[in-house]
Amino acid sequence: MAGQAELLGRVLAAAKDEGRAALVGYLPAGFPTVDGGIAACTALLESGCDIVEVGLPHSDPVMDGPVIQTADDIALRGGVRIADVMRTVRETHTATGAPVLCMTYWNPVDRYGPERFAAELAEAGGAGCILPDLPVEESEAWRKAAEQHGLATVFVVAPSSRDERLAKITAAGSGFVYAASLMGVTGTRESVGQEAEALVGRVRATTDLPVCVGIGVSSAAHAAHVASFADGVIVGSAFVKRLLDHTGDPDAGLAAVRELAAELAEGVRGGRR
């Protein structure tokens, strides 16, 4: 089975045709349990998200703040494995028909084997991988495997990236470009960094790929603001926090993430570009 990179492209293009940004949700696999994570990812897509990123829990998630670190720790203590990540991707995609990406640090993929990881992700119906810590100079083996299996390779850029560096990264990537709205780790904030819009403009000067902005987006107002200048709005910690707030009541947690997804989707649709 080929991966779903083309589906990812179609969904992003369809949102653009509607005059809006796409809404991208993130949740780690295995949180609060494997089954609970699948239900939550499915709920995001049923409630307003266009795309979902399934996180591969990591013991040292350098890009992630305390909220996602806590969720990752719960998943890891629960015994989550790469097979569970693949199952989460498969069942979420099968249930919704939507693009599902894996967000992972490079070390687990490297140890598992890039070719094996790409083949299994494609077989599960995955659309691609977001690899925040893989240097573009060291990415050739992964990119070849991903392309062979129909997967997108999404790189992360930051406001500190120089223009020539941006051009090198965007030339190597596919699917979309993940633009970090500010320097620092993921988490909810009072506002989205002012550097985000300037970064999107700089990225667009180097590529025709869609540019999706993440880090700090947690409300409909944030989503509307980011949607006014970006092709996609990425939300992670705010969804994870809703589940953490209801760890003893899975049904209430699902209701909370559904509510937030609907609010954010409304915000995205208000942020006309």
Side-chain angles (χ1 to χ4, degrees), residues 52-180:
V52 156
E53 304 171 9
V54 173
L56 195 163
H58 195 277
S59 57
D60 185 26
V62 294
M63 184 177 164
D64 295 308
V67 170
I68 292 176
Q69 287 182 24
T70 298
D72 277 6
D73 184 59
I74 290 170
L76 290 168
R77 284 190 285 111
V80 71
R81 296 289 184 266
I82 287 178
D84 300 311
V85 177
M86 298 301 177
R87 180 184 157 213
T88 302
V89 171
R90 177 183 293 106
E91 295 194 16
T92 301
H93 174 64
T94 299
T96 63
V100 182
L101 298 108
C102 178
M103 182 159 184
T104 177
Y105 297 97
W106 177 242
N107 182 257
V109 179
D110 190 36
R111 292 186 64 181
Y112 199 71
E115 167 63 30
R116 178 186 177 196
F117 193 94
E120 292 186 9
L121 182 59
E123 192 277 330
C129 256
I130 301 167
L131 297 155
D133 66 339
L134 176 62
V136 66
E137 294 85 357
E138 300 172 21
S139 68
E140 185 177 0
W142 165 259
R143 287 188 287 118
K144 283 184 176 178
E147 185 176 4
Q148 179 183 348
H149 291 285
L151 299 170
T153 296
V154 178
F155 289 109
V156 179
V157 299
S160 61
S161 303
R162 296 179 181 273
D163 289 348
E164 58 269 27
R165 182 69 180 166
L166 290 178
K168 190 170 189 178
I169 292 170
T170 59
S174 57
F176 63 89
V177 180
Y178 186 129

Side-chain angles (χ1 to χ4, degrees), residues 6-7 27 30 38 44 48-49 52 85 95 101 111 122 151 163-164 170 184 206 224 226 242 248-249 252 260:
E6 289 188 5
L7 173 63
L27 286 171
I38 292 167
L44 295 190
C49 287
V52 156
V85 177
L101 298 108
R111 292 186 64 181
L151 299 170
D163 289 348
E164 58 269 27
T170 59
T206 72
V226 173
R242 292 287 178 106
D249 189 343
L260 180 58

Side-chain angles (χ1 to χ4, degrees), residues 183-257:
M183 300 301 295
V185 297
T186 59
T188 60
R189 291 173 170 80
E190 292 300 313
S191 62
V192 178
Q194 293 182 342
E195 297 167 306
E197 186 168 2
L199 176 59
V200 169
R202 292 170 56 217
V203 172
R204 283 187 174 146
T206 72
T207 183
D208 291 329
L209 288 173
V211 186
C212 301
V213 171
I215 302 185
V217 180
S218 61
S219 68
H222 288 169
H225 172 59
V226 173
S228 70
F229 59 81
D231 300 298
V233 179
I234 302 171
V235 182
S237 294
F239 286 127
V240 175
K241 188 174 187 305
R242 292 287 178 106
L243 291 178
L244 284 171
D245 288 344
H246 298 88
T247 50
D249 189 343
D251 289 341
L254 287 177
V257 296

